[in-house]
Amino acid sequence: MKKLKNILVGFAICFAFVFMLASCSNATKSYSDKINEAYQSGTAITYDEAVKALGDECIDLTKGTELSRSGILIAVKGMTKDNYEEKIRNASSDSKFDSIAITVVQGKCTYSHFASQTAGEVSASILNGKNN
C-alpha cells in the first residue's frame, strides 16, 4: 500500500510539473501590454529578448541582420512552429487559442497585439504572414 501511495505521489508531482511548464507561456495579454508600454516609454524590448521570451512557441517572420531585423513574430500558446498545423487541424471549430503578434522594426519591438482566436483564425494569420 505504501508503494502505491509513493507511485501516486510521484505521478501527481510529474503532472504538476508538466502543468506548470505549460502555463509559462509568454503568449499572453500581459506580455503584449509589456511590449507596448516599453516601446511607449522609450525602452523598447529587443527582437532577441522577445524571441527568447516566446521560446519554442515563436514563429519568426522577420528578415534582416540583428540590428536591422524587421517583420513579425507570432506565438500561439501551447503550439510550436513544428506542431501548429497538426494542432489546428485536430482542433474543433470552436476551439480558442491565445496568440500574440509582435511588430519588429530595426531590431525593436514596436507594437504587439494579443488575441484569443479560433483555429481557423490562427491558421489564416500564420499563413498570411508566410506569404508576405
Side-chain angles (χ1 to χ4, degrees):
M1 186 69 171
K2 187 174 182 175
K3 191 173 187 178
L4 178 62
K5 182 180 175 184
N6 287 340
I7 290 172
L8 290 175
V9 168
F11 278 125
I13 290 171
C14 289
F15 178 75
F17 182 70
V18 168
F19 180 75
M20 190 173 72
L21 286 176
S23 66
C24 290
S25 172
N26 272 321
T28 61
K29 176 143 179 49
S30 63
Y31 190 65
S32 179
D33 292 343
K34 179 180 177 179
I35 288 170
N36 292 331
E37 290 166 8
Y39 181 71
Q40 290 173 355
S41 72
T43 58
I45 292 172
T46 66
Y47 161 82
D48 290 333
E49 291 168 332
V51 169
K52 184 177 180 182
L54 296 174
D56 290 341
E57 294 175 341
C58 183
I59 298 172
D60 188 345
L61 304 172
T62 63
K63 293 185 179 188
T65 63
E66 185 177 330
L67 296 176
S68 68
R69 187 163 293 278
S70 296
I72 297 176
L73 299 173
I74 298 173
V76 181
K77 191 177 227 170
M79 294 187 196
T80 67
K81 59 186 168 192
D82 297 327
N83 73 6
Y84 80 89
E85 288 180 34
E86 175 187 343
K87 286 195 173 198
I88 290 172
R89 186 177 31 241
N90 294 331
S92 65
S93 61
D94 60 346
S95 294
K96 289 278 192 172
F97 297 96
D98 291 342
S99 62
I100 186 173
I102 303 168
T103 303
V104 179
V105 177
Q106 298 206 348
K108 304 280 185 197
C109 297
T110 61
Y111 178 75
S112 178
H113 177 75
F114 172 82
S116 186
Q117 301 174 308
T118 65
E121 292 167 334
V122 171
S123 181
S125 296
I126 292 171
L127 293 176
N128 285 337
K130 283 186 177 179
N131 291 332
N132 291 335

